[in-house]
Every structure is written in structure tokens, then in C-alpha cells.
Amino acid sequence: MKRLLSTLVALVWLSLPAHAAVEVQTVETPGGIKAWLVEEHSIPFTALEIRFQGGTSLDRPGKRGEVGLMMATLEEGAGDMDAQAFAKARDSLAASFRFNASMDSVSVSARFLSENRDEAMTLLRTALMDPRFDQGAVDRVRSQVLSILRNAETDPGEIASDTFYKQAFGDHPYGNNDNGTPESVAGLTRDDMFLAKDRVMTRDRLYVSAVGDITAEELSALLDDLLGDLPEAGPQLPERVEPAFSGGITVVPFETPQSVVMFGQKGIKRDDPDFIPAYIANEVLGGHGESRLMEEVREKRGLTYGVGSYLVPFDHSELVMGQFSSGNEVVAEAIDVVKAEWKKFAEKGLTAEELENVKTYLTGAYPLRFDGNAPIARILVGMQMDGLSPDYIATRNELVNAVTLDEINAVIKRLYDPETLSFVVVGSPKNLVAD
């Protein structure tokens, strides 16, 4: 029986092949919960993705890390079951629950077999509505978080990330490690866990998708039972914050053979009409293995094993940023190359050949994202939170192909700003002058 269940779980990755059309239904339950659904009945398995806007940015003053700690402890017992009993019940159903926290959202990901759907959802409902947050469990997970924070103090990548975001966002939640500090995490209580759950899991910020062996009617009943008793509304979301980039280089001394570098500037909102041209532009500059940055920094000069850039559209701010690591002796040269390419890109844009090549790459790669029930469920929730319509899956490649060279180069001139491109370097760089 266990081998059969494992086989069925593994087969879910084949249940929606990349070439299949993804037909999205919109569902609204009698209780008013809205969801997107893709029915796929060839495998008796369903992936359910639940997400709440707000995330760790809703940590209260002096309580940094409370949402992350709460989500990490949520599965450590519920109702009359302690952590071990809950895990045993979940495993006996061949179900999977994952609870995650990020800066702008918290998520609950569930996978379950059709034959165990009712029991699995009853168990998940208990975790969401009647968590125990036993003191022993809170203390155990807290010790894990404190260990992560201690390790981060000696990790150049984590130091670079913390420094970069602190410079960009200051005292805004985006400027602080969402795991908290050793002091804030040490001060969190069991009562804080209950308060954090009720702050972030509210119906006014709820997004849901389901993919698999379930009908609209079945999903509707499931969601009202699972989520209908959540609090109606959460606290106010953080204010918008403009990233504070003025150009220059910050060096954080650290004894390591290689320096870690993060760089960035102000980005573009996800709902900006020019977001797709900006996304295409970034692919050419630093988005994949044949990008300009990879060509100039790695292939031609061998200054790093890898370098990339990406758009970061937070809910309340946005960045264009990137990172790489280089030997201390050559990191200054690598930074100069990145600066030069950023400036060249801003002034001259890209060529017609580059645009056609990147369109071919992006339109060919897009269907490969839809490689299983769970990835599709995550994509659908992300689309909802981005304000996209269900038909975006069908029209996205058309939108990419419609972008002209003049349009994309106009967006590049608007977006990329060499004067405000800022660098954080953690290491012992040679011949590098910090500002």
C-alpha cells in the first residue's frame, strides 16, 4: 500500500504535461471565497495552494520574526494531537502540508490523494483553526531559528543581503531580516504565535488555487469548510517605500577567499504597462546563461562562475538587482565590467537580433513551468496576487512577441540608471575603493 501511494504521488508530476492546455475555472463558494481551479482527473491527486497577502512584513514592532516562527510551528501539533501525533496522522494519509512565510505573503501548500481528501482536509483545518503552539514546540523551533541567525552572522552571502536591503529600505520591514534578530526571537512568546496567526491569515487577503482530481462543486464545499471561519480582516499593510539608491560601493570587511557582491537600483512595478518589456530586457542583460553580463564577466574575462540580474517587484517597492562572487584580486575589475555593461545597456538598449533570440527563449521556456499540479497551483495563486486574469497563461507568449524594438529600448532608457546603481561587497577585495 505504501509503495502504491508513493507511486501515485510521483506520477502527479506527469498529470499535466507541459504541452497541455491549462483551462482555468473561477470558483466562488457560497461563503464568498474565490478560487481558481484546473481540473485534471487522470491521476487521483490534488494540489491546493493557499496564500495570504501580508507575510512577515506584518510583524509587530519589537516582534520581528514572529510570523516566520509561527508558520514554522504551525504544524507542530493541533487539536488533541501533539507534534508526533499530527505528523503520524498526516503521513498515514499520504498527505503533504507545507507552511511558508515570505516578506509579502504566507502560504499553505497541501497535496492529497482523492481517496483521503476529506480526512486530509479535516487534519489541515485542525492545524489552521486549532493549532497548539505547545511551549516545547515553540522553544524547539525557536532554537532552530536562532541557529540560522547565528550561522548568518558568518555567511558572507547573508551579510551582503542584510546590508543591501538595509541600505535600500532602512527601517521599513523590507530593510530587516524577516527571521528577526536573536533578541527579538528570544523574546517571542506562545501568545505571540496565536496573535500572529490571526493577523496574517484573514479572508480579506486570501488567494486560493487547486489543480487536480477535484470538481468545482467539491472545491467549493472544501474551501468553505476549511477556511470559512478565518478572521474577516487583518491589520493595515505597510506603507510604500522608495528604495534609497544613490550609486557607489559599500564594502563590509570579511575574511574569505572570494568577495560576495550584490548590486541594484530602483525597479518597476508588476502592474506597470511596461513590465513585460522590462522583463524581456532583463533577460538580455542578466537573466539567463547567455546574457550580456555572463558573456562579459564570465565568458570573456573569467572573473566569476556566474552572474545574474532579476526584477524584484515587492508589494510595496521594487528593485532591479543582481549578484555574483569573485576572487578578492579581481572583484574590482568585475564590478567595473558590470557598471560598464549597465551604462551601455541604458544608453544603447538591445539589438533586433537580441530581441528575437530572447523572445524565442522566453516563449519556448514558458510552457515548461507547468510541469505538475503543485507548480501550476503556485503559478495560479501568483497570477491572482499580481492582478492577472486567468487567460494570461494563454496570452502571455503573445504579449512577449508583440513587444517591438522601439518599445523595449524606450523602457530600458526609462528604467536603467547607471548613476544610482549601487554595490555591496562582503569580503577582502583588493584595489577596490568604497564610497
Side-chain angles (χ1 to χ4, degrees), residues 108-127:
V108 179
S109 306
R111 305 179 189 183
F112 48 87
L113 297 170
S114 299
E115 64 182 276
N116 297 333
R117 179 195 302 150
D118 292 344
E119 295 91 338
M121 291 300 96
T122 296
L123 187 63
L124 180 58
R125 187 184 192 283
T126 304

Side-chain angles (χ1 to χ4, degrees), residues 101-420:
S102 64
M103 198 72 77
D104 285 325
S105 67
V106 297
S107 63
V108 179
S109 306
R111 305 179 189 183
F112 48 87
L113 297 170
S114 299
E115 64 182 276
N116 297 333
R117 179 195 302 150
D118 292 344
E119 295 91 338
M121 291 300 96
T122 296
L123 187 63
L124 180 58
R125 187 184 192 283
T126 304
L128 297 179
M129 300 301 172
D130 190 20
R132 290 167 62 112
F133 296 126
D134 290 333
Q135 190 63 56
V138 173
D139 291 341
R140 182 172 63 254
V141 177
R142 186 208 317 274
S143 68
Q144 296 169 359
V145 174
L146 290 172
S147 177
I148 291 171
L149 291 173
R150 285 193 297 271
N151 291 336
E153 293 175 353
T154 58
D155 184 326
E158 292 294 332
I159 296 169
S161 178
D162 287 349
T163 305
F164 181 86
Y165 284 110
K166 187 66 176 178
Q167 287 190 352
F169 299 118
D171 292 334
H172 190 276
Y174 291 167
N176 298 279
N177 190 321
D178 56 3
N179 281 326
T181 66
E183 294 75 21
S184 68
V185 173
L188 295 174
T189 69
R190 180 171 179 262
D191 288 342
D192 291 332
M193 301 299 95
F194 289 101
L195 289 172
K197 187 189 82 70
D198 288 341
R199 284 169 59 84
V200 299
M201 292 187 176
T202 58
R203 290 186 49 163
D204 62 327
R205 293 169 187 159
L206 171 64
Y207 298 85
V208 183
S209 68
V211 181
D213 183 31
I214 190 168
T215 66
E217 293 76 16
E218 291 167 338
L219 178 63
S220 178
L222 182 156
L223 293 178
D224 272 346
D225 184 61
L226 180 65
L227 305 171
D229 292 334
L230 289 172
E232 286 296 328
Q236 182 177 347
L237 293 171
E239 298 291 332
R240 175 170 173 77
V241 57
E242 295 294 333
F245 291 118
S246 56
I249 300 172
T250 298
V251 175
V252 181
F254 191 86
E255 288 298 324
T256 179
Q258 284 199 327
S259 291
V260 175
V261 182
M262 297 191 72
F263 56 92
Q265 58 150 91
K266 182 179 178 180
I268 185 170
K269 295 180 180 178
R270 181 60 184 86
D271 60 359
D272 190 297
D274 288 331
F275 183 83
I276 287 181
Y279 181 81
I280 297 171
N282 175 72
E283 282 297 316
V284 174
L285 178 62
H288 65 287
E290 298 180 1
S291 68
R292 287 192 184 184
L293 291 180
M294 282 289 286
E295 175 69 16
E296 296 297 328
V297 183
R298 176 183 172 174
E299 300 300 331
K300 288 186 177 180
R301 297 172 176 85
L303 301 175
T304 183
Y305 287 110
V307 56
S309 63
Y310 37 93
L311 304 183
V312 185
F314 288 124
D315 283 356
H316 312 293
S317 194
E318 49 279 332
L319 303 172
V320 184
M321 61 182 297
Q323 60 187 41
F324 64 91
S325 297
S326 286
N328 290 321
E329 295 76 13
V330 298
V331 68
E333 181 184 356
I335 289 174
D336 285 343
V337 175
V338 172
K339 285 182 177 180
E341 286 304 308
W342 209 270
K343 187 172 187 292
K344 178 181 175 183
F345 197 62
E347 292 177 349
K348 297 184 179 181
L350 49 80
T351 66
E353 181 180 5
E354 285 177 318
L355 180 56
E356 290 309 308
N357 288 342
V358 76
K359 283 181 178 181
T360 299
Y361 169 76
L362 289 174
T363 55
Y366 187 63
L368 302 180
R369 299 181 183 181
F370 302 87
D371 62 351
N373 291 14
I376 295 172
R378 288 193 295 270
I379 290 171
L380 294 182
V381 164
M383 288 171 55
Q384 294 176 61
M385 297 189 76
D386 286 339
L388 302 173
S389 63
D391 66 355
Y392 178 80
I393 294 173
T395 63
R396 182 267 194 181
N397 279 353
E398 296 174 10
L399 296 173
V400 170
N401 283 325
V403 175
T404 68
L405 185 63
D406 287 343
E407 287 172 342
I408 200 167
N409 282 336
V411 172
I412 290 171
K413 287 184 180 297
R414 167 195 162 195
L415 176 59
Y416 289 88
D417 182 9
E419 297 302 316
T420 62

Side-chain angles (χ1 to χ4, degrees), residues 15-36:
S15 65
L16 278 173
H19 62 268
V22 179
E23 298 181 3
V24 182
Q25 304 176 54
T26 57
V27 176
E28 183 167 358
T29 74
I33 298 173
K34 297 179 180 180
W36 289 7

